[in-house]
Amino acid sequence: MKHAFTKGLFVAATATLIAACSTDDAADQMPVAPGKIEVSLKAALPQSRAQIEVDESNGRFSGSWEATDELTVYAKGSTSGKETPKFTYDADAKVFKGQLTEKKQDWTYQAVYPAVDATPLNIPFGAERTQKGSNFNGAYDPLVSALVTHNGAEPGKTPQGEAVTFGLKRLTAILALTFKTDDATVKAEKVKSVALTAAGKTIAAKSFDITLDDQSGALNTDGQSETITLSYEAGSEPAAASFKAYFNVPAATYGKLSVVITTEGHTASFDLTTDGIELLAGELAYTTKAVSGWTALAAAPTLEWVDNPTFEPQEIKEGMSVKVNLQAAAGIEGFVIKIKSPALSAILGSTFPPVDNTMTLDMVNDKNTATIKDMIPGFPDPLAGHTGAFQLDLSTLVPLILSLPELGVPEGQIYGNHEFSLSMSDALGRPIEKTLIFYVPTPAANPTIVYNNDVNLWTNKATFTLSDIPSNASSIAVKYKATDSSEWLDADVKGTIATASPEWEGPFTTVETSPNSTVTPYYRQKTATGIRNGKTYEYKLIVDGNEYAGATTFSANTKEANGEIPSLDNAQLSCYDWDKCNTDDTWWASGNCVTKMFIEVTTTCLKYENNAAKLVSSKPLAIVKLSAGNLFTGKFKKADATTGVASFGVNYSWNVRPTGIKFSYYGAVAQGNLQQQHGKQVTSAENDYARVYAAIIDWSNSKPRAVSSGSKAPTGTWDPEIVDNSTHEPTEVETYGGGKVIAYASYWIDKNNMPVEFSTKTLQFNWYDKEAKPTDGNLSLIISCASNAYGDFMCGYDGNYMYIKDFEWVY
């Protein structure tokens, strides 16, 4: 790409850059120390200071000094010797002020900007530079004056008492770049940096070294770079719509010059020139560039404390969870852990000596941190450059602080705060730092019990922390109860933590009303044990028979109950409509579909009646002996004219563990004629059933349980009461789908227990897994109702029917 620069010489309206003020000796030359005098030096029309105004019409620009500007003046008196004072700009008086020996003699002067120590004359000229907003930064602009001599003169004056004059010579060129963009997604973003690269040319180094004798300069051999990255000072970043970037570069002939601009969220790169440009010392080259082709940056680094998103100080406890999620999508460049902990310094301080009571662990560059990485699971290897999300688990490391007295650490160093500051930066130079603060409370005078505010309404658990338990205590107990109950229950005490948990009964291998003589072993929660939704609890600690009540009660309604089960009292549900029963977006589904053969035959398996769902069984065709009334959560598809496929399961968000499910129902069983097509599960009215069951499952979205049924033998049939005893999955999961069954509630209804008018029934859940909670995003709930329990085998009485409605959870 070719892009022309406009070039021009800097304003030089006068040869005088610095002059001693001689209009008022009393004002300008005042004694400040024995043998010294204050000298004020004026800057007349400074050529290039922080505030630059470019006149693109003639290639000239002007500027002004800032209060922070300093000069180093090299002064030598014929009798007083060499002096190298710094002169600082006084913005109010508009002069540079410094001190020289108060003596009339022969004086020689020379000046350097920006001010540096006397020797060596190394002006910082590195590859990493800063700029305040769109203002020029003179810190990288080396200037030097020629030697000026005045014999028999006062300091800062000629022999005639006039201003000492000498001019400054610029040793580099300046690229003055103006960028603009109209991109609506970018122009309001703050610009973070502009990187200039000169292909095959060194444009930056550790310093630009000045030689006073011939007023020349050259790049230092250390830290040489072909790229300068200009960053904007925090709080001064200009908007991308229009901004400037200034680069001091050595005088040279350049070929390709390219730029990379980085904003808060985007980057753009392009060539300024490819055909070459010659830059002379003291010359300005400027251009305005319209920037397009922006690319979104990788996301900024993130750091999340999984169990404590607000980073509140956490008490160190046995079994605590301390997990931190991190990611630097642009690649990790730096990762430092700073630990402020007297206890940990006592055992790690020899390897990582504390500075200001803080140990610093460089996880990228320090090989000594390999042991620490082994103690904190989750560090990627290699760490540098890693772009993916990862999780650090400090759940084992942090609680170890409690056991440090066993290693000889004084117990007093355990109490108080232990701080872990995690600092990560990415390849774009974007840092993130968070501090995890843990503490061990100083023991109180008396035993105490504190509720940990961690009720889990799925596991029905809550924990308490015990403090200041006498070491010689012979008995320690924790009890809790609902405030509306008179019965105190026992919590399990381990060390300083007590856990209130539900009591479980089982295993059981039979289910009420089930025709299965044995079922997969299951468990049930004992009524009213554990922590229940909506209840308020009190608790107490008992040590050697002495009771210590908890400071406050706590409520177990910190989470909303589970969502309502969609009502069946809705005539618009697609499961009631022949034409809509195959739609994918339904919650309730049924095999209530139109069957077309030589003529159209409708089989109504489900209809809306009596403000409820009516499940209707019938004998529709000679080749299909029984169409069982059915209703379930999931989807139904017609495979062909006489075969349907029911896919069981819907997504459901679980907040609270239910103890059961209830509903209203009535109907008739063993009514009509007995039909037997795929087996003889039903042989008489005595063993015909309707059935209702609910199952809490954890199945992948891609693998619902598919059960086909019709004129052909059924496939994929399953029963939540009979699953694999080790995995709790139905058989043939690979073929027909499904997965883990966590719990189920089942009700087999024969002719003797089917009511003749609406009655409410509550089913208790049978649990295979006492802890697992369905995974968000997976299929997690099945409710199935059938007026013929063996309808998938086309076996049962064809006159059965059942009304059902008002499903709701019981807690």
Side-chain angles (χ1 to χ4, degrees):
M1 184 190 101
K2 179 178 180 180
H3 192 91
F5 283 90
T6 302
K7 297 198 297 181
L9 295 176
F10 295 116
V11 170
T14 176
T16 302
L17 182 70
I18 302 176
C21 179
S22 58
T23 59
D24 187 343
D25 290 351
D28 294 334
Q29 294 184 308
M30 300 174 60
V32 293
K36 297 290 184 181
I37 192 169
E38 182 180 90
V39 176
S40 297
L41 303 177
K42 282 190 175 179
L45 295 177
Q47 291 176 313
S48 60
R49 294 284 48 81
Q51 305 297 332
I52 289 179
E53 296 294 335
V54 177
D55 183 352
E56 297 190 6
S57 64
N58 57 24
R60 296 173 180 268
F61 74 96
S62 58
S64 59
W65 294 105
E66 287 188 315
T68 56
D69 282 329
E70 288 186 326
L71 302 169
T72 298
V73 175
Y74 294 82
K76 181 179 180 182
S78 56
T79 60
S80 62
K82 293 182 179 180
E83 303 175 47
T84 56
K86 290 182 180 179
F87 277 65
T88 303
Y89 186 66
D90 185 327
D92 294 329
K94 302 187 184 311
V95 295
F96 283 87
K97 292 183 176 181
Q99 298 177 18
L100 291 174
T101 298
E102 185 183 11
K103 189 172 185 179
K104 185 176 181 178
Q105 56 185 318
D106 298 341
W107 286 96
T108 58
Y109 303 95
Q110 207 166 7
V112 170
Y113 177 88
V116 293
D117 292 335
T119 55
L121 301 179
N122 298 335
I123 308 299
F125 209 73
E128 301 293 331
R129 302 183 186 178
T130 61
Q131 183 173 298
K132 185 175 183 179
S134 286
N135 300 322
F136 179 77
N137 187 351
Y140 313 105
D141 188 25
L143 310 175
V144 63
S145 74
L147 195 68
V148 177
T149 300
H150 294 285
N151 297 324
E154 298 292 339
K157 296 183 179 181
T158 66
Q160 294 77 27
E162 299 176 350
V164 172
T165 62
F166 52 98
L168 289 174
K169 172 185 177 183
R170 175 167 284 102
L171 300 181
T172 65
I174 296 179
L175 290 178
L177 307 177
T178 300
F179 300 105
K180 299 177 180 291
T181 186
D182 293 326
D183 193 314
T185 63
V186 180
K187 63 182 183 179
E189 293 183 350
K190 299 299 183 183
V191 181
K192 307 303 288 186
S193 66
V194 179
L196 172 71
T197 298
K201 289 287 186 178
T202 299
I203 58 174
K206 178 182 178 181
S207 62
F208 191 92
D209 302 341
I210 296 176
T211 303
L212 285 175
D213 290 344
D214 60 2
Q215 299 89 57
S216 64
L219 292 177
N220 196 289
T221 57
D222 290 342
Q224 293 193 349
S225 173
E226 295 181 2
T227 298
I228 297 172
T229 300
L230 180 69
S231 300
Y232 294 87
E233 294 180 14
S236 75
E237 300 95 331
S242 179
F243 62 100
K244 298 179 183 295
Y246 297 96
F247 294 91
N248 283 81
V249 296
T253 299
Y254 293 92
K256 180 179 178 181
L257 293 172
S258 58
V259 166
V260 177
I261 300 172
T262 302
T263 70
E264 294 169 300
H266 294 78
T267 185
S269 58
F270 49 87
D271 293 338
L272 290 171
T273 180
T274 57
D275 58 350
I277 180 174
E278 182 181 7
L279 296 177
L280 304 177
E283 189 171 39
L284 167 71
Y286 58 90
T287 187
T288 298
K289 172 67 177 176
V291 185
S292 58
W294 295 93
T295 302
L297 290 173
T302 58
L303 192 160
E304 174 196 19
W305 189 346
V306 175
D307 305 293
N308 182 20
T310 59
F311 285 78
E312 294 295 322
Q314 297 291 296
E315 182 181 347
I316 300 176
K317 307 171 186 176
E318 293 291 346
M320 70 187 303
S321 175
V322 185
K323 296 180 180 179
V324 181
N325 290 337
L326 305 102
Q327 184 173 17
I332 294 174
E333 184 172 75
F335 197 108
V336 172
I337 301 176
K338 293 184 177 181
I339 302 175
K340 189 173 184 179
S341 165
L344 291 175
S345 293
I347 60 173
L348 297 175
S350 59
T351 305
F352 307 102
V355 177
D356 294 331
N357 300 317
T358 301
M359 295 181 291
T360 300
L361 287 64
D362 187 336
M363 308 306 291
V364 171
N365 301 307
D366 190 347
K367 294 181 179 179
N368 291 327
T369 60
T371 302
I372 304 298
K373 289 180 182 178
D374 293 338
M375 297 172 65
I376 305 175
F379 269 109
D381 187 16
L383 179 59
H386 187 76
T387 60
F390 61 100
Q391 184 179 84
L392 298 183
D393 190 347
L394 288 78
S395 303
T396 300
L397 177 62
V398 173
L400 283 177
I401 293 174
L402 299 174
S403 63
L404 291 181
E406 300 173 8
L407 301 178
V409 176
E411 195 166 79
Q413 293 184 357
I414 302 298
Y415 305 130
N417 287 351
H418 304 265
E419 299 181 11
F420 295 77
S421 293
L422 307 183
S423 177
M424 180 175 68
S425 60
D426 68 6
L428 298 175
R430 297 174 296 181
I432 188 169
E433 182 173 357
K434 297 283 187 179
T435 299
L436 286 66
I437 301 177
F438 305 94
Y439 67 91
V440 178
T442 301
N446 297 309
T448 59
I449 180 170
V450 176
Y451 165 56
N452 291 326
N453 196 30
D454 62 354
V455 63
N456 185 321
L457 293 177
W458 181 262
T459 60
N460 304 114
K461 294 181 179 180
T463 68
F464 311 90
T465 296
L466 314 181
S467 302
D468 298 327
I469 308 298
S471 59
N472 60 350
S474 59
S475 66
I476 303 170
V478 170
K479 293 183 177 292
Y480 69 100
K481 75 176 185 67
T483 54
D484 61 357
S485 172
S486 60
E487 181 182 4
W488 286 93
L489 304 170
D490 291 317
D492 181 38
V493 179
K494 291 184 179 179
T496 60
I497 301 296
T499 304
S501 304
E503 295 178 30
W504 291 89
E505 299 174 313
F508 302 105
T509 56
T510 59
V511 181
E512 303 90 344
T513 76
S514 175
N516 295 313
S517 58
T518 60
V519 298
T520 304
Y522 66 88
Y523 297 84
R524 284 183 175 174
Q525 281 193 0
K526 187 175 179 181
T527 304
T529 64
I531 307 300
R532 302 292 171 175
N533 184 49
K535 296 283 188 179
T536 300
Y537 291 85
E538 53 186 296
Y539 52 97
K540 59 185 178 181
L541 167 65
I542 304 173
V543 179
D544 292 338
N546 297 312
E547 293 189 3
Y548 303 89
T552 60
T553 60
F554 69 91
S555 177
N557 57 1
T558 55
K559 290 187 177 180
E560 295 180 358
N562 303 322
E564 293 183 354
I565 301 171
S567 173
L568 290 163
D569 185 7
N570 179 359
Q572 304 305 313
L573 293 177
S574 64
C575 58
Y576 296 138
D577 190 320
W578 294 344
D579 295 326
K580 296 181 180 177
C581 64
N582 288 332
T583 55
D584 287 339
D585 60 354
T586 184
W587 207 83
W588 290 109
S590 173
N592 179 25
C593 288
V594 175
T595 301
K596 294 182 179 179
M597 295 184 65
F598 301 104
I599 60 173
E600 183 175 279
V601 178
T602 61
T603 302
T604 305
C605 305
L606 185 71
K607 63 174 65 174
Y608 177 72
E609 192 173 290
N610 290 345
N611 302 110
K614 183 181 181 182
L615 287 62
V616 182
S617 300
S618 64
K619 182 182 184 305
L621 299 167
I623 60 173
V624 178
K625 291 188 176 183
L626 179 66
S627 178
N630 61 88
L631 171 71
F632 62 95
T633 54
K635 296 179 176 63
F636 182 82
K637 295 284 188 181
K638 291 291 292 181
D640 55 42
T642 60
T643 304
V645 178
S647 297
F648 287 88
V650 291
N651 289 322
Y652 191 78
S653 296
W654 295 95
N655 295 318
V656 180
R657 180 196 296 265
T659 59
I661 188 170
K662 68 178 180 179
F663 52 89
S664 295
Y665 74 112
Y666 80 93
V669 177
Q671 179 172 287
N673 299 312
L674 175 62
Q675 303 294 334
Q676 297 172 317
Q677 186 161 355
H678 303 301
K680 295 184 178 181
Q681 291 83 355
V682 179
T683 57
S684 69
E686 301 304 316
N687 64 352
D688 191 23
Y689 296 88
R691 190 181 186 189
V692 179
Y693 71 80
I696 299 172
I697 59 175
D698 195 2
W699 296 359
S700 167
N701 271 325
S702 62
K703 297 188 69 176
R705 184 71 178 190
V707 179
S708 67
S709 179
S711 59
K712 300 176 183 178
T715 61
T717 59
W718 70 292
D719 184 345
E721 294 180 355
I722 310 295
V723 296
D724 187 296
N725 194 29
S726 60
T727 64
H728 302 128
E729 296 179 341
T731 58
E732 299 177 292
V733 169
E734 291 291 328
T735 303
Y736 300 111
K740 184 176 183 177
V741 180
I742 294 175
Y744 71 92
S746 176
Y747 186 40
W748 298 78
I749 312 168
D750 64 19
K751 65 178 184 176
N752 298 312
N753 58 16
M754 174 67 84
V756 296
E757 59 184 27
F758 273 118
S759 297
T760 299
K761 180 67 177 179
T762 298
L763 305 183
Q764 189 172 357
F765 271 108
N766 305 322
W767 297 89
Y768 291 132
D769 193 317
K770 303 174 188 177
E771 298 288 335
K773 181 180 179 183
T775 304
D776 289 342
N778 282 3
L779 300 176
S780 57
L781 173 62
I782 294 172
I783 300 175
S784 178
C785 314
S787 52
N788 297 96
Y790 299 105
D792 43 5
F793 294 90
M794 304 296 157
C795 188
Y797 283 81
D798 58 18
N800 289 7
Y801 69 93
M802 180 169 60
Y803 290 91
I804 196 161
K805 64 177 181 178
D806 299 337
F807 282 95
E808 62 180 280
W809 302 118
V810 178
Y811 299 102

